[in-house]
């Protein structure tokens, strides 16, 4: 009744899926590229949920982080077409390690830019989240987190939206 992953916490489910995709946890042979995950959200590049998910995903795959520069909660599947899209590289606090890209646009814009311009190669998986709040019921129609995963699916990419309700 609880699906393939039972009652595991969300990160355990995602970890299981990514491990399965990466040949059951074994590092790919040298002729195969390491799995590339396009990571985005709708809460912005500085959101704690994105940081937590990024940390875990980087342990098992290459991550291309492309997220909105500012919070975009509730924008649904909007895209930017009347204004130029601006993307800037974001670095860790020490300024030496590139973290990803901050985009002046919606989560759907981030996926488009990631897939076609910023990731360097076609991602194997799109992960959107962790959204701070539950995306369920009617909320999925307004959710930028869900829209980013749908945008990835439009391009034929396996895509996951992750949300977490907490007190």
């Amino acid at each position: 009744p609880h699906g393939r992953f039972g009652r595991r916490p969300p990160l355990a489910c995602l970890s299981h899926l990514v491990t399965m995709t990466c040949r059951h946890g074994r590092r790919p042979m040298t002729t195969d590229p390491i799995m590339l995950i396009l990571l985005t959200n709708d809460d912005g590049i500085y959101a704690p949920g994105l940081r937590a998910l990024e940390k875990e995903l980087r342990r098992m795959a290459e991550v291309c982080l492309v997220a909105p520069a500012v919070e975009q909660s509730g924008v649904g599947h909007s895209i930017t077409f009347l204004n130029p899209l601006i993307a800037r590289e974001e670095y860790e606090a020490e300024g030496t390690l590139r973290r990803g890209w901050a985009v002046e646009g919606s989560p759907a814009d981030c996926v488009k830019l990631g897939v076609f311009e910023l990731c360097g190669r076609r991602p194997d998986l799109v992960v959107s989240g962790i959204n701070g709040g539950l995306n369920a019921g009617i909320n999925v129609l307004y959710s930028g987190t869900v829209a980013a995963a749908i945008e990835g699916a439009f391009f034929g990419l396996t895509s996951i939206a992750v949300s977490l309700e907490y007190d």
Side-chain angles (χ1 to χ4, degrees):
H2 299 288
R4 179 176 184 172
F5 299 109
R7 292 182 180 264
R8 291 184 192 174
L11 281 179
C13 297
L14 183 60
S15 174
H16 180 70
L17 174 68
V18 173
T19 301
M20 288 183 345
T21 308
C22 288
R23 300 182 183 203
H24 303 288
R26 292 190 297 272
R27 191 165 202 92
M29 296 176 1
T30 55
T31 57
D32 294 344
I34 293 174
M35 181 180 205
L36 176 61
I37 299 172
L38 170 55
L39 177 61
T40 193
N41 71 354
D42 72 352
D43 292 328
I45 196 159
Y46 302 111
L50 182 72
R51 175 66 82 172
L53 194 50
E54 175 190 9
K55 179 181 174 188
E56 292 304 312
L57 292 176
R58 286 194 190 278
R59 292 176 40 188
M60 59 187 87
E62 180 183 350
V63 174
C64 176
L65 175 62
V66 184
V70 296
E71 184 163 342
Q72 295 287 310
S73 295
V75 300
H77 209 121
S78 66
I79 57 170
T80 303
F81 63 94
L82 296 176
N83 299 313
L85 275 175
I86 299 169
R88 71 175 185 278
E89 288 185 278
E90 285 290 317
Y91 291 85
E92 292 296 337
E94 24 327 313
T96 56
L97 182 63
R98 185 169 69 81
R99 182 169 178 233
W101 296 89
V103 175
E104 299 289 337
S106 71
D109 291 331
C110 293
V111 173
K112 279 186 195 308
L113 278 176
V115 170
F116 293 112
E117 299 293 332
L118 302 176
C119 287
R121 65 181 168 93
R122 186 173 171 82
D124 300 297
L125 177 68
V126 175
V127 178
S128 182
I130 298 174
N131 188 69
L134 191 58
N135 285 321
I138 194 75
N139 292 341
V140 300
L141 299 177
Y142 305 108
S143 169
T145 302
V146 173
I150 291 170
E151 189 72 19
F154 283 166
F155 301 122
L157 298 167
T158 301
S159 301
I160 302 167
V162 183
S163 64
L164 178 65
E165 181 68 34
Y166 56 89
D167 293 327

